[in-house]
């Protein structure tokens, strides 16, 4: 899925801010847009604390940074990333990666900002307490260049960089008619990519056999998934995995749901992610051989395609993160830390200004709030749980209320509720299996519509809560 042209980034979609079908957080027949006209919202949410979907990984909440962003290593960034619970940081930045030469810190045909080199990036990552994920240059690089980067990172400097992607959205190299991705190889087929991917993996693991190598796949159900390109006998995913499946450690997809209204992206996590994840797991099982159980799923870019700095995307972000994690992804890396805006496409969304900036932090443009002002939706995940906590099954009676829950190591449970109705509060009745909540009034964290901070108060009960219109709440419950 592509994005519209961005500042310093050529694609076909722009952004903000963040297993099996049975893992979906909400099961309903109606859509948010179909119900939004109702005068009141009621929901019944059940939490099965004994049914684990996945554990929250240390790398689960990830973030992209790009070498065109002169503020990616600003002194305040590590603290802001820590506050957001970020445990993975991706570098050097989307399509830029397929033209980026790490030794010279240059990008073919692109701008590189000062103080964005690899060592500076690693200082920021280490100060954050996160892990890096590096996209090696497939488009204009070589296996030897990538192996040299592994050697410098893990042998010379001792950084211990574990995760390495081989290229960004390589299928955008012209094979299917769209050419946003640099690719200087004589062949642009999926077969060519897969064959070279094996060469990259071999050269890089010869330097450090402990690293993990990721293969670029097309997102199931999204263009160009299912299309057989000229020179191939199967579509991209089947071709790549049939050749390279036994040699890789994770697969890579990007998720940018399309939508024509505010309600559209809000329904996409539940509507799209379980099926996508199930398809990926099936492909891995088909082609990765005995290594299949250990091959992970990484969503290394994600965001909505509109309403970037306002309530719809604030609600979308935690839903997107958590639904992917529930369905087996070990990381979701949000696009982007700072993305920038030309201030020429500002709109008003639900009473707030949308600056058309795809960053989770304000970029400092003249029309925006001050540099590094955060958007808070994704931060609500930190109120729900921490790495090691178990995501457990939830169901909601209405698509207007998404629900996610964790069972903490000490036996307590937290529940995150998202009210997708822009005008009406939701009265939510909660029930539990495998958990008996204390009768004490729970602590409830809330991120309200158009808010500039996260609030907390002791309110409601373990079995009944009111969730304001277009808001996110986290109910922290102790066991009885």
């Amino acid at each position: 899925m592509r994005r519209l042209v961005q500042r310093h980034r050529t694609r076909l979609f722009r952004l903000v801010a963040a297993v099996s079908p049975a893992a979906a957080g909400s099961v309903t027949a109606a859509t948010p847009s179909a119900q939004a006209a109702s005068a009141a919202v009621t929901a019944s949410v059940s939490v099965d604390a004994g049914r684990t979907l996945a554990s929250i990984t240390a790398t689960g909440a990830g973030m992209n940074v790009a070498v065109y962003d002169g503020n990616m290593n600003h002194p305040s960034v590590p603290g802001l990333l820590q506050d957001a619970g970020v445990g993975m940081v991706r570098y050097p930045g989307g399509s830029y990666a397929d033209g980026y030469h790490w030794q010279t810190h240059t990008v073919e045909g692109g701008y590189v900002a000062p103080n964005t080199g690899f060592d500076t990036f690693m200082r920021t990552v280490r100060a954050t307490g996160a892990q890096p994920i590096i996209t090696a240059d497939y488009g204009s690089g070589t296996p030897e260049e990538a192996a040299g980067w592994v050697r410098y990172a893990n042998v010379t400097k001792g950084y211990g960089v574990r995760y390495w992607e081989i290229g960004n959205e390589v299928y955008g190299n012209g094979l299917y008619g769209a050419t946003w991705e640099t690719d200087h190889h004589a062949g642009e087929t999926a077969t060519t990519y897969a064959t070279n991917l094996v060469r990259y993996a071999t050269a890089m693991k010869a330097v450090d056999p402990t690293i993990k190598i990721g293969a670029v796949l097309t997102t199931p159900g999204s263009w160009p998934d299912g299309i057989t390109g000229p020179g191939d006998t199967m579509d991209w995913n089947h071709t790549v995995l049939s050749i390279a499946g036994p040699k890789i450690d994770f697969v890579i997809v990007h998720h940018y749901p399309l939508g024509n209204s505010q309600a559209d992206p809000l329904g996409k996590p539940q509507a799209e992610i379980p099926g996508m994840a199930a398809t990926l797991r099936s492909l891995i099982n088909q082609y990765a051989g005995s290594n299949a159980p250990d091959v992970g799923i990484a969503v290394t870019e994600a965001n909505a395609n509109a309403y970037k700095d306002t309530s719809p995307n604030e609600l979308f972000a935690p839903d997107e993160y958590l639904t992917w994690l529930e369905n087996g992804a070990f990381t979701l890396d949000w696009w982007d830390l700072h993305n920038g805006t030309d201030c020429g496409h500002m709109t008003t969304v639900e009473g707030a200004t949308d600056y058309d900036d795809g960053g989770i932090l304000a970029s400092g443009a003249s029309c925006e709030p001050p540099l590094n002002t955060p958007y808070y939706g994704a931060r609500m995940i930190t109120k729900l749980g921490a790495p090691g906590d178990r995501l457990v099954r939830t169901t909601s009676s209405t698509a207007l209320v998404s629900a996610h829950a964790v069972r903490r190591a000490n036996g307590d449970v937290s529940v995150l509720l998202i009210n997708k109705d822009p005008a009406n509060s939701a009265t939510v009745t909660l029930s539990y299996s495998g958990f008996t909540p204390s009768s004490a009034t729970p602590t409830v964290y809330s991120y309200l519509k158009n808010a500039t901070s996260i609030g907390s108060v002791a309110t409601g009960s373990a079995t009944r809560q009111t969730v304001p219109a277009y808001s996110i709440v986290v109910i922290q419950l102790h066991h009885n």
Side-chain angles (χ1 to χ4, degrees):
M1 215 162 284
R2 306 273 54 76
R3 301 175 288 300
L4 298 173
V5 174
Q6 312 178 41
R7 174 185 170 208
H8 304 313
R9 185 175 170 86
T10 303
R11 323 277 287 232
L12 283 174
F13 270 122
R14 286 190 41 144
L15 347 164
V16 157
V19 211
S20 68
S26 300
V27 180
T28 63
T31 64
S33 57
Q35 295 185 342
S38 63
V41 178
T42 59
S44 297
V45 168
S46 62
V47 177
D48 186 348
R51 183 170 177 180
T52 299
L53 303 177
S55 292
I56 298 178
T57 62
T59 57
M63 187 63 56
N64 274 271
V65 298
V67 292
Y68 57 70
D69 173 17
N71 292 307
M72 63 175 275
N73 296 304
H74 189 279
S76 65
V77 163
L80 290 165
L81 292 178
Q82 286 176 337
D83 290 345
V86 170
M88 180 81 92
V89 187
R90 183 180 184 239
Y91 177 93
S95 294
Y96 256 47
D98 277 318
Y100 179 74
H101 299 284
W102 70 272
Q103 291 160 306
T104 59
H105 189 46
T106 58
V107 171
E108 293 190 10
Y111 167 78
V112 173
N115 302 313
T116 59
F118 178 61
D119 288 312
T120 308
F121 160 74
M122 284 303 305
R123 284 196 290 272
T124 296
V125 171
R126 286 185 153 188
T128 301
Q131 293 189 50
I133 180 168
I134 303 299
T135 310
D137 179 0
Y138 174 81
S140 64
T142 65
E144 293 72 28
E145 181 183 29
W149 200 349
V150 174
R151 182 176 295 103
Y152 178 78
N154 292 355
V155 179
T156 304
K157 301 295 289 190
Y159 289 144
V161 178
R162 188 179 186 192
Y163 297 98
W164 298 81
E165 300 177 84
I166 309 305
N168 187 58
E169 297 161 347
V170 183
Y171 47 82
N173 62 2
L175 176 62
Y176 301 103
T179 54
W180 69 82
E181 203 73 17
T182 299
D183 187 354
H184 295 331
H185 292 90
E188 296 173 342
T189 65
T191 302
T192 302
Y193 172 69
T195 303
N196 284 316
L197 171 59
V198 173
R199 292 178 58 220
Y200 271 76
T202 300
M204 295 165 74
K205 287 192 172 187
V207 175
D208 183 352
T210 70
I211 65 172
K212 303 291 186 181
I213 297 294
V216 171
L217 297 186
T218 62
T219 305
S222 301
W223 183 93
D225 182 47
I227 301 173
T228 300
D232 292 320
T233 59
M234 295 185 290
D235 65 14
W236 183 277
N237 289 354
H238 285 84
T239 300
V240 169
L241 290 178
S242 68
I243 295 170
K247 301 294 185 181
I248 63 169
D249 303 288
F250 61 100
V251 298
I252 303 152
V253 293
H254 295 170
H255 190 216
Y256 292 105
L258 293 169
N260 298 311
S261 70
Q262 290 178 206
D264 283 349
L266 299 184
K268 293 302 175 72
Q270 285 74 39
E272 295 184 352
I273 292 169
M276 289 174 174
T279 297
L280 292 170
R281 183 50 58 189
S282 177
L283 287 165
I284 292 167
N285 290 339
Q286 181 178 357
Y287 290 115
S290 61
N291 192 41
D294 298 320
V295 174
I297 297 171
V299 186
T300 59
E301 289 184 25
N303 212 313
N305 72 322
Y307 317 110
K308 304 175 182 68
D309 314 308
T310 43
S311 298
N313 210 14
E314 296 280 15
L315 304 185
F316 170 79
D319 219 5
E320 176 80 356
Y321 268 111
L322 292 167
T323 306
W324 270 112
L325 295 181
E326 288 165 352
N327 283 274
F330 70 85
T331 188
L332 183 142
D333 306 327
W334 200 252
W335 187 273
D336 186 20
L337 183 68
H338 304 101
N339 200 62
T341 176
D342 62 8
C343 298
H345 299 87
M346 293 190 297
T347 56
T348 300
V349 179
E350 294 297 329
T353 301
D354 194 297
Y355 304 98
D356 195 40
D357 185 336
I360 201 168
L361 301 177
S363 64
S366 61
C367 59
E368 285 190 282
L371 174 67
N372 291 330
T373 298
Y375 301 104
Y376 286 92
R379 280 169 164 70
M380 289 296 286
I381 297 173
T382 65
K383 307 302 181 186
L384 178 68
D389 291 341
R390 292 178 291 136
L391 289 156
V392 298
R393 179 172 169 78
T394 65
T395 58
S396 173
S397 63
T398 171
L400 281 174
V401 176
S402 283
H404 304 273
V406 301
R407 186 74 179 258
R408 295 179 181 268
N410 64 0
D412 289 347
V413 165
S414 294
V415 183
L416 183 146
L417 302 172
I418 303 171
N419 179 4
K420 303 174 185 180
D421 189 310
N424 301 292
S425 294
T427 301
V428 181
T429 302
L430 299 107
S431 60
Y432 306 88
S433 59
F435 173 72
T436 302
S438 165
S439 60
T441 301
T443 298
V444 177
Y445 289 87
S446 60
Y447 179 69
L448 304 179
K449 181 179 178 180
N450 299 337
T452 57
S453 63
I454 294 171
S456 67
V457 66
T459 188
S461 69
T463 58
R464 188 176 179 87
Q465 288 288 332
T466 298
V467 184
Y470 250 33
S471 73
I472 309 164
V473 304
V474 172
I475 308 134
Q476 294 186 345
L477 302 164
H478 299 295
H479 59 82
N480 196 0

